[in-house]
């Protein structure tokens, strides 16, 4: 892919303004092993596995099949801030070795992406729920996330904001929903209503929750703005995390001026 793109750029330089437009977040091409911490508004994920000339798909997905392959996938699945496009020559249903954790994750994500691409939100949510149900959660990690969510919510409320924890339905829940104030939240508790959805990322090495597979699609489809906060950031500098959430929500509400008194 990289060679093909460089060849195209040499033949036609009309696209160069695009590649030079964002020096702080430049265009990149990386493989699964090298994507760590990079985020972009739009990510194009090319699935380079697929059928051979005989139409057969070998269930050899390289590092995805190895131990921890599902964690590698979850990293790439959560790099898009606004939109992800998936380019693939196979469907999730074509993957048969779903006994393998990594292959099962890949199959689920491809099926989810297909449902999202045709506007089948109900089907996409059902696939996501199945993925969540299929993961053995880490009780200690879940406990840490819940505790941090409550502590962060308390700090945000002290700043005059609304903050609710575990917002959502069934297994798919947002750790924290933050609003500008009691009068700035509209709709039901599980709806966006102008609020910011905060997802607390687990500590390095912890099991990664399957909701990160589809957060960009499901949450933004229902009007949520999303902010990911690593638990390690909270442990290191909680005040900075509160500032970051407040800034992401937007300008703080302005108190009305005191009434004018006098004769």
């Amino acid at each position: 892919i990289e060679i093909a793109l460089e060849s195209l750029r040499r033949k036609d330089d009309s696209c160069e303004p695009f590649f030079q437009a964002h020096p702080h977040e430049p265009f990149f091409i990386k493989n699964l092993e090298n994507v760590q911490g990079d985020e972009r508004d739009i990510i194009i994920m090319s699935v380079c596995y697929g059928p051979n000339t005989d139409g057969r798909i070998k269930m050899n997905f390289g590092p995805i099949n190895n131990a921890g392959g599902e964690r590698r996938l979850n990293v790439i699945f959560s790099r898009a801030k606004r939109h992800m496009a998936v380019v693939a020559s196979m469907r999730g249903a074509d993957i048969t070795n779903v006994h393998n954790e990594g292959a099962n994750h890949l199959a689920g994500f491809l099926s989810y992406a297909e449902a999202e691409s045709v506007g089948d939100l109900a089907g996409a949510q059902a696939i996501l729920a199945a993925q969540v149900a299929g993961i053995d959660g880490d009780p200690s990690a879940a406990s840490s996330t819940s505790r941090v969510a409550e502590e962060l919510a308390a700090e945000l409320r002290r700043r005059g904001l609304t903050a609710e924890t575990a917002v959502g339905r069934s297994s798919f829940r947002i750790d924290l929903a933050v609003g500008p104030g009691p009068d700035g939240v509209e709709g039901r508790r599980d709806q966006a209503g102008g609020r910011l959805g905060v997802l607390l990322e687990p500590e390095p090495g912890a099991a990664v929750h399957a909701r990160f597979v589809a957060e960009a699609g499901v949450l933004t489809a229902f009007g949520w703005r999303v902010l990911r906060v690593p638990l390690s950031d909270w442990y290191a500098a909680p005040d900075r995390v509160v500032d970051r959430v407040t800034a992401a929500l937007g300008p703080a509400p302005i108190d009305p001026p005191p009434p004018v008194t006098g004769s």
Side-chain angles (χ1 to χ4, degrees), residues 88-230:
S89 57
M90 64 180 181
R91 293 179 167 182
D94 295 329
I95 298 176
T96 57
N97 63 330
V98 291
H99 59 278
N100 178 279
E101 190 79 19
N104 184 49
H105 260 55
L106 180 59
F109 180 74
L110 290 179
S111 296
Y112 167 82
E114 183 176 356
E116 278 281 323
S117 68
V118 297
D120 182 9
L121 296 183
Q125 285 191 305
I127 294 167
L128 179 64
Q131 287 293 102
V132 172
I135 289 181
D136 294 325
D138 182 344
S140 62
S143 176
S144 296
T145 300
S146 177
R147 183 176 65 254
V148 169
E150 292 292 348
E151 293 172 354
L152 177 54
E155 290 298 323
L156 291 167
R157 292 179 190 123
R158 290 189 185 98
R159 297 198 181 188
L161 303 175
T162 59
E164 296 180 278
T165 59
V167 172
R169 300 181 183 181
S170 65
S171 311
F172 185 68
R173 295 182 182 273
I174 300 167
D175 295 315
L176 196 63
V178 185
D183 297 329
V185 178
E186 303 173 356
R188 297 200 312 266
R189 184 178 184 272
D190 60 342
Q191 292 179 334
R195 292 182 293 178
L196 175 72
V198 178
L199 298 180
L200 298 174
E201 290 190 326
E203 299 175 73
V208 178
H209 199 286
R211 57 129 188 255
F212 290 113
V213 169
E215 63 181 87
V218 172
L219 293 177
T220 57
F222 287 96
W224 288 94
R225 290 176 294 150
V226 178
L227 177 68
R228 287 193 289 269
V229 175

